[in-house]
Each structure stands twice: as C-alpha cells, then as structure tokens.
C-alpha cells in the first residue's frame, strides 16, 4: 500500500461503476466516506444510463452518464468524451473486459483497481495500483478504496434521494395507515439468476401464512424482465389471499420510495435487497447459492435466512469452512433448503421489532 500520510488531499476523484443496481447502492457509503474526509474534493461518478435513475440526486456528486460500449465506434466516442476530463484519482471499481478497455482513455494521476482476487479479465493491466486482498462483504470491498486513499472512518452510511412525489405515491400504496398498526410487506421474488430464486410455491405458502397470522398487506416488486413478470403472476395464482402486483410497473425512484414505506422486504440475492437497506428497511434475505457474508443485506440485526452452509455440505460435499469466499453452490435445488418456517420465524422477529 502506498503511504498516504504526507500526500496532499485529492481535488477531483472519479469513481467508475456502471452496474449492477445492488452494487452501485453498496458503493454509496464509500462515496460518503470520501466526502466526509475531503469535503472540498469534487467527486465525479461515471455510471450507466441504467443505474443513474436510481442514483440521481445523490448530494455532492457529479454524474457522468454513459452507455455501456458495445462496438468499436462506441469506444471511440467514449475516448473523445473522456478527453475533456482529468482527475487526481480514478477508482476503477468495475473489473470486466468491456470496462477495463475504457480505463486507458481516462486521464488520472492515480488509477486504483481491485486486488487480483476480485479482479477479472486482466484488470491489473489497466490500473496502476490495487487495493489489498480481503475476504469481506461487497460494501466493505468498495470501502476498501476509501481506506486505501487514507480515509480513517469505518462507518458505512447510506442515503438514496427520493422526491416528495415518489414518497406520496409510495404511501398511497399502503391500504392501512402505519399509524393504525397495519403491516405492509414487500416481496421481490426474483433474483438475477434462476438458481438464486426461491420457488413460486414457497412464496405463495409464505404469503398465506403471513396474511393469516399478521393480517398484513403484501406487495410484489420487481423489474420488467419476462421471468420476473411470470414469476409474480404464478405467485398470485397460487396464493389464497390477494396480493398487490407492481412487478414491472415502477420506476427506480418509486421502488426505492416503496421499499422505504414497507415494514420489511423479503428477497433473495438481488439488488432491491440493498436498496431497502439504503432506505433503512429491514430485509429478510434468502441465501443458499452464495454466502450472505459476501452479498447479503448489510444490516444489523441480521434477519437473513442463510442456507449456504447446508448447501455447501449437501451439494459440494465438504464442510462450509472449506468453501472459498466467493464459491457458489450451482445446484437447482439449493434454494429449496430454505423453508417457509425459517422465513416466518424471521418475519416474526422483524414485525416484533417494529411494534
């Protein structure tokens, strides 16, 4: 690690992270730490047009919004764009071949990337410095850039801006006012990969038990992808009780406001889990394919149902202690190790906390 004790504070930092939604949310505490350490430092976040609608309004941050390059012409256009900027520090926090090729176009005195354990596609060739290796949560991994630059704080502070209009819309979705004790639960059923998604029949049975025990309102959230829409429809058809279905019908800021309105979110390994944490809403995470200590909801207390150790033993044939930090359980039945009873127990903990 470079000795930062006698270095002058940076005047302009570029942070490069285009996707995914959960990852950009997990990076916000690092941005806040940089701002707290150097309040006069300008921060430019280079991000994608897909992620920007969620990040818009983040205080004290300038955004440079780009499209992910797909063609040689796209790269030439971005090269021309980046010629207009010069930074003291580039935090190269995306390590894919497509983004690695962009780093030579960005003028910066220091270019800092991930360690080799977290880097991919020759990432080290395109940066000048790398943060130390560590087995840690993704949010702590982003925070590692701030620590490498000399930031002293370990505190992770989230914030997502939502407009008053979005907040009013979200509050209007609640049928029973919070003041009257009505419980409002969101379920974001789908993960980005099928192997990380709990089955529709499990969600339906969970809804049945939750409504009958807690008389709660349940809303399904999710994006516009066909698999998410179909999963939500299947859950609705299997559940015995009415369910609000907003899957594919919300904008980024609306979903953030809605997740700030509900009493808890139930979700597998997916971006909305991290959005809910940023909105200070308890999350019951459903994990079996990846370890929750790596990508689970970063909150206290921990409400996650974590079947990863059991999945490692059953499907990888070894003790969980021998699994690599980033090792996945790629088995179609791994998520079935999570039971409805497990989730109901955590739901009881969450709702008692809110009383």
């Amino acid at each position: 690690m470079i000795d930062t004790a006698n270095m002058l504070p940076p005047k302009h930092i570029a942070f490069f992270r285009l996707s995914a939604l959960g990852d950009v949310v997990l990076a916000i505490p690092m941005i806040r730490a940089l701002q707290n350490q150097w309040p006069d430092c300008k921060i430019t976040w280079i991000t994608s047009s897909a992620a920007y609608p969620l990040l818009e309004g983040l205080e004290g941050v300038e955004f440079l919004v780009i499209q992910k390059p797909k063609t040689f012409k796209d790269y030439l256009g971005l090269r021309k764009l980046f010629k207009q900027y010069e930074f003291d520090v580039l935090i190269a926090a995306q390590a894919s071949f497509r983004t690695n090729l962009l780093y030579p176009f960005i003028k910066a005195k220091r270019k800092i990337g991930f360690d080799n354990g977290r880097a991919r596609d020759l990432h080290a060739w395109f940066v000048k410095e790398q943060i130390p290796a560590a087995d840690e949560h993704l949010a702590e991994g982003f925070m590692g850039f701030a620590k490498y630059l000399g930031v002293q704080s370990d505190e992770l502070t989230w914030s997502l801006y939502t407009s008053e209009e979005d907040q009013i819309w979200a509050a209007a979705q609640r049928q029973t006012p919070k003041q009257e004790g009505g419980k409002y639960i969101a379920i974001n059923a789908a993960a980005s990969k099928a192997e990380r998604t709990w089955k529709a029949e499990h969600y339906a049975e969970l809804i049945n038990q939750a409504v009958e025990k807690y008389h709660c309102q349940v809303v399904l959230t999710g994006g516009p992808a066909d698999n998410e829409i179909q999963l939500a429809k299947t859950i609705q058809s299997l559940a015995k009780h009415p369910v609000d279905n907003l899957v594919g019908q919300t904008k980024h800021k609306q979903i953030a406001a809605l997740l700030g309105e509900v009493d808890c979110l139930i979700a597998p390994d997916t971006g909305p889990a991290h959005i809910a944490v940023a909105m200070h809403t308890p999350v019951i995470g459903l994990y079996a394919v990846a370890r929750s200590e790596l990508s689970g909801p970063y909150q206290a207390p921990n409400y996650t149902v974590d079947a990863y150790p059991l999945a490692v033993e059953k499907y990888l044939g070894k003790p969980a202690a021998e699994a690599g930090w980033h090792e996945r359980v790629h088995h179609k039945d791994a998520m079935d190790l999570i039971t409805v009873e497990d989730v109901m127990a955590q739901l009881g903990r969450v709702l008692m906390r809110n009383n």
Side-chain angles (χ1 to χ4, degrees), residues 289-311:
V289 173
R291 62 175 72 241
S292 64
E293 298 94 338
L294 169 66
S295 59
Y298 200 92
Q299 61 184 352
N302 185 2
Y303 298 110
T304 296
V305 178
D306 191 352
Y308 178 76
L310 181 58

Side-chain angles (χ1 to χ4, degrees), residues 73-335:
K73 184 178 179 181
D74 293 339
Y75 280 96
L76 291 178
L78 289 172
R79 182 183 182 186
K80 182 178 179 180
L81 172 66
F82 291 139
K83 280 185 177 180
Q84 304 173 45
Y85 297 86
E86 186 168 358
F87 307 100
D88 294 313
V89 177
L90 167 65
I91 297 175
Q94 191 123 9
S96 66
F97 185 71
R98 185 161 48 169
T99 55
N100 287 337
L101 292 176
L102 292 175
Y103 296 142
F105 302 156
I106 301 174
K107 291 182 288 185
K109 298 172 185 175
R110 301 176 67 187
K111 295 185 180 182
I112 306 169
F114 283 112
D115 59 279
N116 288 334
R118 286 174 280 197
R120 295 182 303 168
D121 300 330
L122 305 177
H123 180 66
W125 289 20
F126 298 92
V127 297
K128 301 174 182 177
E129 305 167 43
Q130 293 176 273
I131 61 173
D135 290 341
E136 57 192 359
H137 192 279
L138 293 172
E140 295 166 341
F142 286 122
M143 199 69 169
F145 287 103
K147 291 181 179 179
Y148 183 85
L149 286 168
V151 171
Q152 302 301 316
S153 174
D154 289 328
E155 183 179 356
L156 275 68
T157 303
W158 273 272
S159 59
L160 270 177
Y161 169 78
T162 56
S163 68
E164 183 178 0
E165 180 182 1
D166 292 327
Q167 294 167 25
I168 291 173
W169 173 86
Q173 308 310 305
R174 183 189 282 265
Q175 295 170 5
T176 304
K178 188 180 296 186
Q179 298 86 338
E180 297 177 16
K183 302 301 181 184
Y184 193 18
I185 298 170
I187 296 176
N188 199 102
S192 59
K193 296 183 179 179
E195 66 180 13
R196 301 183 190 183
T197 300
W198 214 31
K199 289 187 173 65
E201 51 265 37
H202 300 324
Y203 283 118
E205 179 57 27
L206 173 66
I207 291 168
N208 293 339
Q209 293 190 27
V211 172
E212 290 163 11
K213 185 171 184 177
Y214 298 111
H215 308 288
C216 54
Q217 178 187 354
V218 179
V219 58
L220 299 176
T221 62
D226 291 342
N227 66 303
E228 297 194 53
I229 292 172
Q230 185 55 53
L231 178 60
K233 289 181 179 178
T234 304
I235 293 170
Q236 273 189 301
S237 68
L238 293 175
K240 294 188 297 185
H241 300 281
V243 180
D244 300 335
N245 185 356
L246 293 179
V247 175
Q249 302 177 43
T250 51
K251 298 177 181 178
H252 289 69
K253 291 296 188 182
Q254 287 179 322
I255 191 63
L258 184 69
L259 293 180
E261 174 67 28
V262 299
D263 295 297
C264 79
L265 170 68
I266 300 169
D269 190 355
T270 185
H274 306 303
I275 296 173
V277 171
M279 299 303 295
H280 311 293
T281 294
V283 179
I284 300 175
L286 310 179
Y287 281 70
V289 173
R291 62 175 72 241
S292 64
E293 298 94 338
L294 169 66
S295 59
Y298 200 92
Q299 61 184 352
N302 185 2
Y303 298 110
T304 296
V305 178
D306 191 352
Y308 178 76
L310 181 58
V312 169
E313 293 179 9
K314 184 169 183 177
Y315 297 117
L316 299 186
K318 59 185 177 182
E322 295 180 7
W325 187 254
H326 295 273
E327 191 166 0
R328 303 298 202 262
V329 181
H330 298 295
H331 195 284
K332 62 181 180 63
D333 297 327
M335 291 293 288

